[in-house]
Amino acid sequence: MCPPAVIGAALGASSATAAAVGTSVYMGLASAGLQIRGQQIQAKTQAKVQENASKVERQRYLNEVSSLRSQQAQEQVAMAQKLQSNKTRAREARATARVSAGEAGVAGLSVDALMNDLTRKEAMYNNSVNTQAQMLDVRRELSLRDAGLGFTNNMLRINRPIEEVNYAGALVSGAQTGLSTYGALK
């Protein structure tokens, strides 16, 4: 590296101001170099932070969807168990009613009406269970859609564009630093 006085003399400065000019040139170059390197480090760090945050967000979303699907499976099993239990109870009720009617000596339309009433009650219960299942499915689909929108919004928030290194701005700022140094040394 050349001494500041040599740089100043090469730039046409008189011997009295050559050292000040040389020093100001070095200060300007150092300032620009440090700004550029700082911007590069900042961009690299931001890219790594975004990458890590994106991984965390993807895992959060997968966990949320998995939880909703697991809940759906559990609810479907519970609904199937309710329907099966209702079917068994209805079959038992019809059998009991038929035996009771036979023991009482009742037959014909009144027994048929009783059987139809028990079948109607079974169907009403099954319909209410199925309607409840449909409403739960709609709610879950809305939750899944909201989770997807939340994931998309979070990914957009996390992965904002990273500013590129501003070489021109760093050089201008370095020149200003050099001129300020020259003014102070003069």
Side-chain angles (χ1 to χ4, degrees), residues 1-2 22 26 32 34 46 58 64 71 84 91 109 111 120 125 146 155 159 164 177 183-184 186:
M1 187 158 99
C2 293
Y26 279 136
L34 289 173
Q46 185 176 353
R58 273 191 291 281
E64 183 176 1
Q71 183 182 18
Q84 184 60 40
R91 187 176 36 241
L109 292 176
V111 173
R120 180 188 59 78
Y125 180 81
D146 287 347
M155 291 301 279
N159 293 306
E164 293 190 24
T177 301
K186 190 173 177 187

Side-chain angles (χ1 to χ4, degrees), residues 75-91:
E75 288 169 355
Q76 287 174 342
V77 168
M79 295 294 175
Q81 289 173 341
K82 284 181 180 181
L83 291 173
Q84 184 60 40
S85 175
N86 186 49
K87 182 179 181 179
T88 301
R89 281 194 318 269
R91 187 176 36 241

Side-chain angles (χ1 to χ4, degrees), residues 62-112:
L62 291 174
N63 290 345
E64 183 176 1
V65 169
S66 176
S67 173
L68 287 169
R69 291 299 184 194
S70 176
Q71 183 182 18
Q72 178 183 24
Q74 291 170 0
E75 288 169 355
Q76 287 174 342
V77 168
M79 295 294 175
Q81 289 173 341
K82 284 181 180 181
L83 291 173
Q84 184 60 40
S85 175
N86 186 49
K87 182 179 181 179
T88 301
R89 281 194 318 269
R91 187 176 36 241
E92 290 171 354
R94 282 191 293 271
T96 301
R98 191 170 300 280
V99 169
S100 296
E103 288 177 354
V106 178
L109 292 176
S110 60
V111 173
D112 290 343

